[in-house]
Amino acid sequence: MIHDPTDWLCINTIRTLAMDAVEQAHSGHPGAPMALAPVAYQLWQQELRYDPTLPIWPNRDRFVLSNGHASMLIYSLLHLTGVRRVTSEYSVEDQLAVSLEDIKKFRQLDSSTPGHPEYRWTSGVETTTGPLGQGVSNSVGMAMASRWLAGYFNRPGFELFDYDVWAICGDGDLMEGVASEAASIAGHLKLPNLCWVYDSNHISIDGSTSLAFTEDVGKRFEAYGWRVLHVADANDLDALSQAFRTFKQDRGLPTLIIVHSEIGWGAPKKQGTASAHGEPLGEEEIKGAKRKYGWPEDAKFLVPDGVRERFTERMGERGKKLRTEWEAKFSEYKKQYPELADQLQRMQRRELPEGWDKELPTFPADAKGAATRETSGKVLTALAKNYPWLVGGSADLNPSTKTYLSFSGAMKPGDHSGRNIHFGVREHAMGSIVNGLALSKVRPYSATFLIFSDYERPAIRLSAIMELPAIHIFTHDSIGLGEDGPTHQPVEHLASLRAIPGVIVIRPADANEVTEAWRVIAPLRHDPVVLVLTRQAVPTLDRTKYAPASGLAKGAYVLADSEGTPDVILIGTGSEVNLCLQAYDQLKSEGVKARVVSMPSWELFERQDEAYREQVLPSSVRARVAVEKGATFGWERWVGLRGAVIGMRSFGASAPLKALLQKFGFTVENVVKVAREVMEQAKK
């Protein structure tokens, strides 16, 4: 075992900063950072390819603290290594991402040291790791991105991308199903650049993990196709180094390093107990731990001389050397491969390539039309041909979601250069992996049926928190599935997804709205999008008769109108817009002044100024009817107290589509009837 006094001084600095910060905040998790300090220190000092002065260097190793409750571990590391702050415009400031004052404000309002690591909030944090299992699942996407980037950008003599992805995780991470899904994919793809370091301390909040978690984790991962290594003692720096180097030198499989530790190491009474997990240790226990570390008992937030210097002379100098060598290589690369270099720089800034939209189709009017999943597949293919880093796939549903890029291959073991990803029936991991790809600046999409958004929803929420431009495609969007029945007929899902702050939900009405939806989606840099598509055919509207589909960009637009102020406004989304148009024609023939508003995106409409919103939905017109084959929840905002919503107030049923539409009121006759009722109500 290495006994360099400065190494242990650094390790104990990490431990004591964690203890002091949690104690001062009266909240937090001190035990895991105390146990994991040697693991993280040895990894950062000896192996991690990372330059603290440029923490957005594209070929840096990624470090993910998946057990994010141990956040003081990464905050201590970011502070001691001197990681610089990065602005939202990707410029690096001469200011610490985490200062000592920030550590003293751990878990306080507007501090850069929140309770769990937050991407964007704290420079150097590669992903938001709140819910357990998400961080390791993101790391799979990061590792896939590294391999894909290598396949696309690397050229002989120019290995621009070969970074590794390291994730520290705990028992809770590996209990979560999403981590199992992600590990299964990683094992199938044989990702050689992925290493999870599993802190096996046998403690959970309830007590011993033996209460609920007694499987052999190593054998499980071997069955997934991982290499499994063991370190018997988290304080054994030599054994840790050997395990890390085995991962780096013996490539071919993803690696799980099982490190056995004692939570709260050094605490005289709480070491190895659940009480060291999720609450401050208390002053006396902290003093006892500091005595064991040979630390001044009354010193708080102490960083001894030589600690910051040790991080600089090892990790800092190594990272700077590797980064400057990469930059020199990239300068030569730009001369030989200027087009690829331009693409790489655009990708890093989340900008689009030149000519990205030059092949987007316009569809002729067609009364028979097509399912919007079909037209979306055509638009996606046309877009992807001119958007090289648009990559994605489905949860074993490519024939149904129409999301397979036929001009490219698929990622597979040993060859990760394909742009199609077979996620298998693993919706939750798919969403999390997509977030990992987006964090690596690849532009990713996922696809499944709308009903299964429930499985993907936690990852969608995190993409919103992190402001990632992930694209979540959902087909089979309503009771229009017919015979499949209520288990496959989404009802509350649109309302649920619209409830997530920061997510843009788009439900286009026809083929040309689909094209315009992708025209809106492609340039987004900070907004996750949910694109909701039909299985059943919908007419392609005659745009010489109706307003241009470009109105989709504003979220809602007047599709068909009357002379003067309308008596009633019919609002529809998706397949129900055509139903509104049929009702409009009947009302018009009866002398009623009606207006049809296509409202594919509430969120985009909310972003318009008040004048435009008033123009589309004038406040003077209180007779309004919204029509959508989903839950009515939320529509009251747009129809008002005098309006009505034709929607779902129950689950669906198994029957042919025509029977379902009749049963649940999605008929021209019912829309006209309800329109007349709200017109009468508005007069009162």
Side-chain angles (χ1 to χ4, degrees):
M1 183 178 291
I2 299 172
H3 292 288
D4 184 321
T6 305
D7 284 335
W8 287 104
L9 194 65
C10 292
I11 290 166
N12 291 330
T13 301
I14 296 169
R15 287 169 163 157
T16 55
L17 286 176
M19 292 189 297
D20 290 342
V22 170
E23 194 69 25
Q24 182 150 301
H26 307 296
S27 173
H29 300 73
M34 294 163 68
L36 287 171
V39 180
Y41 173 78
Q42 199 70 351
L43 172 58
W44 280 51
Q45 287 291 68
Q46 300 293 334
E47 306 299 338
L48 201 68
R49 178 170 48 189
Y50 189 89
D51 182 1
T53 66
L54 192 65
I56 55 173
W57 166 41
N59 201 35
R60 69 191 180 279
D61 281 357
R62 268 56 167 186
F63 172 80
V64 175
L65 183 67
S66 191
N67 45 344
H69 54 271
S71 56
M72 269 310 305
L73 180 67
I74 192 169
Y75 297 149
S76 298
L77 289 165
L78 293 175
H79 172 67
L80 295 173
T81 54
V83 172
R84 296 299 188 266
R85 182 171 295 180
V86 181
T87 71
S88 60
E89 297 302 317
Y90 308 116
S91 64
V92 180
E93 299 180 334
D94 190 20
Q95 184 177 355
L96 291 178
V98 176
S99 67
L100 197 57
E101 286 303 307
D102 292 324
I103 288 177
K104 293 176 181 178
K105 295 176 182 176
F106 178 56
R107 287 183 168 231
Q108 304 309 300
L109 184 64
D110 295 330
S111 74
S112 62
T113 50
H116 290 76
E118 299 283 358
Y119 177 73
R120 292 186 308 104
W121 201 260
T122 310
S123 300
V125 169
E126 301 284 5
T127 184
T128 292
T129 53
L132 290 172
Q134 288 292 334
V136 284
S137 301
N138 294 160
S139 76
V140 174
M142 294 174 182
M144 290 166 65
S146 174
R147 300 289 292 172
W148 185 86
L149 291 165
Y152 186 74
F153 287 107
N154 287 3
R155 293 293 183 271
F158 294 97
E159 195 170 67
L160 295 184
F161 288 101
D162 60 352
Y163 65 81
D164 291 323
V165 181
W166 306 82
I168 290 181
C169 58
D171 294 294
D173 285 292
L174 299 191
M175 290 186 212
E176 290 285 0
V178 65
S180 298
E181 292 180 23
S184 177
I185 295 175
H188 164 72
L189 289 174
K190 301 186 187 304
L191 295 173
N193 59 337
L194 178 65
C195 182
W196 292 3
V197 181
Y198 165 36
D199 174 29
S200 178
N201 60 38
H202 304 293
I203 293 295
S204 64
I205 290 176
D206 281 354
S208 170
T209 54
S210 63
L211 294 169
F213 189 55
T214 52
E215 69 200 41
D216 188 322
V217 171
K219 288 183 179 178
R220 169 154 67 98
F221 273 73
E222 287 175 354
Y224 287 148
W226 289 54
R227 174 179 49 204
V228 178
L229 306 173
H230 293 266
V231 174
D233 180 3
N235 289 302
D236 188 340
L237 302 185
D238 280 343
L240 290 167
S241 289
Q242 181 60 46
F244 297 153
R245 286 169 185 168
T246 297
F247 157 65
K248 295 183 74 172
Q249 293 168 3
D250 185 12
R251 300 289 190 175
L253 298 174
T255 297
L256 179 73
I257 302 174
I258 301 176
V259 178
H260 298 275
S261 74
E262 288 195 68
I263 196 168
W265 192 87
K269 296 179 180 178
K270 295 187 176 182
Q271 177 177 318
T273 69
S275 59
H277 176 69
E279 60 188 36
L281 294 174
E283 289 292 343
E284 290 307 310
E285 196 73 1
I286 287 175
K287 287 182 178 180
K290 288 179 177 177
R291 281 196 298 272
K292 184 173 181 68
Y293 303 154
W295 211 258
E297 291 182 19
D298 296 321
K300 294 185 178 180
F301 301 102
L302 174 64
V303 179
D305 292 341
V307 169
R308 293 188 180 92
E309 291 78 5
R310 171 56 59 89
F311 277 99
T312 299
E313 73 188 23
R314 289 190 180 173
M315 178 185 184
E317 291 183 4
R318 181 179 71 252
K320 184 177 181 180
K321 179 176 182 292
L322 291 168
R323 189 258 302 173
T324 54
E325 288 173 351
W326 186 92
E327 289 177 336
K329 184 179 294 185
F330 184 64
S331 294
E332 290 301 312
Y333 182 85
K334 284 195 291 186
K335 297 174 185 176
Q336 293 196 35
Y337 306 101
E339 184 177 348
L340 284 173
D342 176 68
Q343 289 182 1
L344 195 158
Q345 290 174 314
R346 287 174 184 267
M347 186 191 71
Q348 292 297 315
R349 298 191 297 265
R350 299 197 193 280
E351 296 174 355
L352 288 165
E354 290 287 347
W356 64 274
D357 59 349
K358 64 184 179 183
E359 294 185 43
L360 297 188
T362 299
F363 296 90
D366 182 354
K368 182 181 178 182
T372 53
R373 62 167 175 162
E374 296 276 359
T375 49
S376 178
K378 294 176 181 178
V379 179
L380 174 61
T381 296
L383 173 64
K385 286 179 179 177
N386 298 294
Y387 194 170
W389 51 96
L390 182 63
V391 174
S394 78
D396 194 45
L397 287 170
N398 278 311
S400 294
T401 58
K402 312 300 180 185
T403 45
Y404 193 86
L405 303 178
S406 58
F407 61 84
S408 178
M411 288 191 187
K412 56 188 177 182
D415 180 5
H416 306 110
S417 61
R419 292 172 62 182
N420 294 290
I421 303 172
H422 292 289
F423 288 104
V425 187
R426 305 182 183 97
E427 292 90 352
H428 196 170
M430 176 174 69
S432 303
I433 289 169
V434 159
N435 285 344
L437 290 164
L439 288 159
S440 309
K441 303 299 176 65
V442 173
R443 188 71 188 279
Y445 64 86
S446 63
T448 185
F449 295 168
L450 181 57
I451 192 73
F452 303 132
S453 63
D454 285 336
Y455 289 165
E456 199 176 345
R457 193 176 188 280
I460 295 173
R461 182 176 188 269
L462 286 169
S463 67
I465 289 174
M466 291 189 276
E467 298 184 2
L468 299 177
I471 305 166
H472 307 278
I473 301 169
F474 295 113
T475 66
H476 296 56
D477 67 347
S478 71
I479 61 168
L481 297 181
E483 293 86 351
D484 276 347
T487 62
H488 278 55
Q489 293 168 356
V491 171
E492 73 279 16
H493 299 75
L494 282 168
S496 172
L497 292 164
R498 286 170 178 153
I500 304 174
V503 172
I504 296 174
V505 179
I506 305 177
R507 188 172 183 240
D510 78 340
N512 288 306
E513 279 200 6
V514 168
T515 295
E516 295 306 316
W518 280 106
R519 200 180 295 279
V520 167
I521 291 167
L524 295 173
R525 299 173 65 203
H526 302 292
D527 305 271
V529 174
V530 167
L531 182 62
V532 183
L533 305 167
T534 68
R535 184 186 75 164
Q536 72 275 24
V538 294
T540 303
L541 302 179
D542 183 351
R543 296 295 171 167
T544 65
K545 180 180 177 181
Y546 301 114
S550 57
L552 176 139
K554 293 188 175 181
Y557 63 104
V558 178
L559 184 62
D561 210 1
S562 61
E563 294 282 341
T565 303
D567 299 321
V568 63
I569 300 175
L570 307 178
I571 311 169
T573 77
S575 52
E576 289 73 78
V577 169
N578 187 60
L579 179 57
C580 290
L581 287 172
Q582 293 177 64
Y584 164 87
D585 287 339
Q586 183 167 325
L587 288 166
K588 184 178 179 181
S589 72
E590 297 172 2
V592 175
K593 294 191 293 184
R595 169 180 289 184
V596 175
V597 170
S598 177
M599 195 176 201
S601 176
W602 293 11
E603 298 76 23
L604 293 176
F605 189 56
E606 288 168 346
R607 294 183 181 186
Q608 308 311 309
D609 60 37
E610 185 178 352
Y612 178 77
R613 295 198 303 269
E614 176 67 19
Q615 177 186 334
V616 175
L617 296 176
S619 54
S620 61
V621 182
R622 295 184 294 171
R624 303 178 184 181
V625 181
V627 187
E628 186 173 68
K629 294 188 191 112
T632 61
F633 184 83
W635 272 108
E636 61 275 3
R637 174 172 185 185
W638 308 114
V639 301
L641 297 176
R642 300 296 180 93
V645 185
I646 299 173
M648 296 297 295
R649 291 173 171 80
S650 67
F651 296 109
S654 178
L657 176 58
K658 288 183 179 179
L660 291 173
L661 298 181
Q662 190 70 38
K663 175 180 175 62
F664 293 109
F666 295 101
T667 64
V668 174
E669 295 76 18
N670 190 48
V671 176
V672 169
K673 172 178 170 288
V674 174
R676 290 196 172 279
E677 289 173 352
V678 297
M679 288 165 63
E680 287 300 314
Q681 180 69 21
K683 294 176 183 177
K684 297 177 182 179

